[in-house]
Amino acid sequence: MSETYDRIGIGYADIRIPDPRLAALIDQALGGAETVLNVGAGAGSYEPIDRTVVAVEPSAVMLAQHPGRIRIQASAEHLPFPDQSFDAAMAIMTTHHWRDLRAGLREMKRVARRQVIFTWDPQWPTQLWIVEEYVPEIGELERSRFAPLADFQRSLDVHTMTPFPIPWDFTDGYQPAYWRRPEAYLDPTIRAASSTFATLPDSVVEPAIARLAEDLRTGTWQQRHGDLAGRDTVDYGYRLLVAG
């Protein structure tokens, strides 16, 4: 996936702004860790500012946007560190891009005493409306990439699994962020910051977005989803896992 993020990563940090509510949850999960390895670090989202952090990322474009002092171009499956080098290793919305999940998790466990992972449960029944009604190909793609939570439990000593319902004003502009702000999906810059939209061909995405635009213009979307206006969060299956 480094090639994908070399292509879509330009301007990524302008859209994917860390949300303070998720940041607080991750910070709490890191516990008393003083040294943290961020695996698949991207542009550095959710890295704690009061701890020593080492960022590992395979994409040179993403690393160029990372503000951290210690940045290393490497993959999750081959972490270039001795055993137990860190108090904790974190992996935030990245494991679905790894070539070998089990190898990456073994490496996280090898180099750190605690592991903190934010991921999506592909078996969760509640689907995002844009996937269910407009771009079902996203659902097919994501179910093929995201591992069931049981796979993490088999590879790690997961002791805590915390749901993270997505707030309506979530600042981190990945796919579910705009569940109550449908006009945002019409913006190609916002779609480009989501690996699923960016991976699918224009022949799939553009007709779907055109249908959404028409449904918004006619009020059809509002008739189907008016109930969302009264909700502050929706649980779309995102989970924070803590092991070790």
Side-chain angles (χ1 to χ4, degrees), residues 125-207:
T126 303
Q127 285 197 75
L128 184 65
W129 55 262
I130 197 166
V131 175
E132 192 169 32
E133 300 172 15
Y134 294 93
V135 197
E137 293 85 355
I138 286 179
E140 297 168 9
L141 176 62
E142 295 215 314
R143 284 188 291 273
S144 73
R145 298 194 304 179
F146 278 87
L149 300 185
D151 287 6
F152 293 91
Q153 293 173 315
R154 279 191 289 267
S155 296
L156 300 174
D157 303 318
V158 175
H159 55 75
T160 305
M161 186 179 301
T162 305
F164 183 76
I166 305 298
W168 77 269
D169 56 349
F170 195 56
T171 63
D172 192 344
Y174 68 96
Q175 185 182 290
Y178 307 103
W179 59 266
R180 214 179 90 176
R181 295 170 286 168
E183 296 82 3
Y185 293 109
L186 305 182
D187 186 339
T189 303
I190 285 175
R191 295 198 306 273
S194 169
S195 66
T196 45
F197 275 113
T199 299
L200 292 172
D202 290 344
S203 60
V204 169
V205 174
E206 290 182 357

Side-chain angles (χ1 to χ4, degrees), residues 33-160:
E34 295 182 1
T35 56
V36 178
L37 177 67
N38 189 8
V39 182
S45 295
Y46 301 107
E47 291 182 356
I49 61 174
D50 57 347
R51 313 173 198 234
T52 301
V53 179
V54 175
V56 165
E57 166 61 41
S59 166
V61 171
M62 298 304 292
L63 274 182
Q65 299 178 71
H66 193 292
R69 186 173 59 87
I70 310 174
R71 300 170 294 173
I72 297 172
Q73 189 170 12
S75 68
E77 296 86 350
H78 303 284
L79 297 174
F81 308 103
D83 295 356
Q84 301 297 289
S85 298
F86 301 91
D87 295 327
M90 56 188 277
I92 309 304
M93 287 300 291
T94 178
T95 57
H96 56 294
H97 294 312
W98 298 357
R99 296 182 186 277
D100 186 333
L101 176 68
R102 290 186 179 180
L105 295 178
R106 281 198 304 269
E107 281 289 87
M108 287 184 71
K109 189 173 183 178
R110 179 183 66 80
V111 303
R113 286 173 281 280
R114 170 173 286 213
Q115 300 81 41
V116 175
I117 297 170
F118 187 62
T119 186
W120 175 67
D121 178 4
Q123 298 173 331
W124 188 251
T126 303
Q127 285 197 75
L128 184 65
W129 55 262
I130 197 166
V131 175
E132 192 169 32
E133 300 172 15
Y134 294 93
V135 197
E137 293 85 355
I138 286 179
E140 297 168 9
L141 176 62
E142 295 215 314
R143 284 188 291 273
S144 73
R145 298 194 304 179
F146 278 87
L149 300 185
D151 287 6
F152 293 91
Q153 293 173 315
R154 279 191 289 267
S155 296
L156 300 174
D157 303 318
V158 175
H159 55 75
T160 305

